[in-house]
């Protein structure tokens, strides 16, 4: 989902640049006119994969989410094991005619079914909470990067900063890559805020 959103942002930025060039120049020589019109535009790009892997705040958030995900998984495994044990005990009791009455057997079966429903609700609730927290963290991370880029760009004066995600950028002069500067600035700001 994040990759689709990032690719969408990059496509929108490229489309805006292309349409801006086409609006400003006569249609007689579009390729030449666009390149001439784009000469005054200051563009840079940030490699999002590198940024997310090296931005200390992002790394810390990812570790925390991984810890929560593992705890959720362990909780569910424990509950599932307990449920499986109850089911196996019930099957064994049925096979050995341990229950004095049919009503008692049905009562035990209903208890296990309720326990299974409780497990399924817990699983859904935990997954939902984890997804909501992940979404919240993504918004916080995006806001952090966005606010830094606004501050950073106040002194740099870029007209357009594009995100490179994977191989969505067909070609870019490496001199336009400001990833390391942005990572350093983000990490410096994060360290100061700690």
């Amino acid at each position: 989902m994040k990759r689709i959103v990032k690719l969408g942002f990059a496509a929108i930025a490229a489309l805006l640049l292309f349409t801006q060039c086409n609006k400003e120049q006569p249609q007689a020589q579009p390729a030449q006119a666009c390149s001439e019109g784009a000469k005054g535009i200051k563009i840079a790009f940030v490699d999002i994969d590198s940024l997310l892997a090296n931005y200390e705040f992002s790394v810390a958030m990812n570790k925390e989410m991984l810890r929560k995900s593992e705890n959720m998984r362990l909780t569910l495994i424990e509950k599932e094991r307990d449920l499986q044990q109850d089911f196996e005990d019930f099957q064994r009791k049925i096979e050995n005619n341990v229950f004095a009455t049919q009503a008692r057997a049905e009562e035990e079966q209903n208890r296990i079914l309720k326990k299974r429903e409780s497990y399924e609700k817990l699983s859904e609730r935990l997954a939902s909470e984890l997804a909501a927290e992940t979404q919240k963290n993504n918004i916080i991370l995006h806001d952090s990067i966005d606010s830094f880029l606004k501050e950073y760009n106040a002194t740099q004066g870029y007209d357009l900063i594009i995100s490179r995600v994977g191989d969505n950028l067909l070609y870019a002069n490496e001199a336009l890559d400001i990833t390391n500067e942005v990572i350093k600035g983000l990490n410096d700001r994060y360290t100061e805020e700690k």
Side-chain angles (χ1 to χ4, degrees):
M1 178 71 175
K2 283 194 275 183
R3 182 180 170 110
I4 292 170
V5 171
K6 291 173 189 171
L7 289 173
F9 284 132
I12 290 170
L15 182 62
L16 288 174
L17 178 61
F18 177 75
T19 56
Q20 184 66 29
C21 287
N22 283 340
K23 284 180 185 176
E24 293 176 358
Q25 303 299 328
Q27 294 295 341
Q29 300 171 351
Q32 182 182 13
C34 184
S35 64
E36 289 174 7
K39 282 184 181 176
I41 296 177
K42 190 173 176 184
I43 299 173
F45 71 89
V46 175
D47 186 315
I48 297 298
D49 296 335
S50 293
L51 183 130
L52 294 177
N54 294 295
Y55 179 20
E56 292 172 10
F57 179 56
S58 173
V59 171
M61 284 176 55
N62 284 336
K63 282 182 183 176
E64 180 62 18
M65 290 307 296
L66 182 60
R67 185 189 64 75
K68 288 182 178 186
S69 176
E70 288 172 353
N71 286 343
M72 180 187 87
R73 190 176 60 79
L74 289 174
T75 298
L76 291 175
I77 286 172
E78 183 181 311
K79 298 280 186 192
E80 187 175 12
R81 247 189 241 140
D82 185 42
L83 184 62
Q84 183 65 31
Q85 183 64 43
D86 282 356
F87 179 73
E88 288 171 3
D89 288 346
F90 176 73
Q91 288 290 49
R92 206 172 308 116
K93 288 176 181 178
I94 290 286
E95 290 170 2
N96 295 321
N97 291 322
V98 172
F99 294 109
T101 64
Q102 180 67 25
R104 176 64 187 113
E106 288 175 2
E107 184 181 300
E108 182 64 13
Q109 183 180 19
N110 287 335
R111 184 189 70 80
I112 293 171
L113 289 174
K114 285 181 183 178
K115 195 171 186 177
R116 178 169 176 79
E117 287 175 18
S118 176
Y119 166 81
E120 289 171 354
K121 286 179 183 177
L122 175 65
S123 176
E124 289 174 11
R125 181 179 58 82
L126 291 176
S128 177
E129 287 173 2
L130 190 66
E133 189 166 353
T134 299
Q135 183 177 8
K136 180 184 124 199
N137 287 345
N138 287 339
I139 290 169
I140 292 169
L141 185 61
H142 180 271
D143 288 348
S144 172
I145 293 168
D146 189 51
S147 70
F148 172 79
L149 285 175
K150 286 177 182 171
E151 292 172 18
Y152 171 82
N153 199 44
T155 59
Q156 300 301 315
Y158 289 105
D159 296 304
L160 183 65
I161 299 176
I162 300 172
S163 65
R164 177 169 85 183
V165 181
D167 61 352
N168 72 329
L169 212 55
L170 297 177
Y171 172 78
N173 183 333
E174 290 302 313
L176 302 175
D177 187 352
I178 60 170
T179 305
N180 290 334
E181 292 174 47
V182 171
I183 291 170
K184 182 181 179 333
L186 282 166
N187 284 337
D188 289 348
R189 185 176 72 172
Y190 177 64
T191 302
E192 288 173 11
E193 291 175 358
K194 276 183 157 180

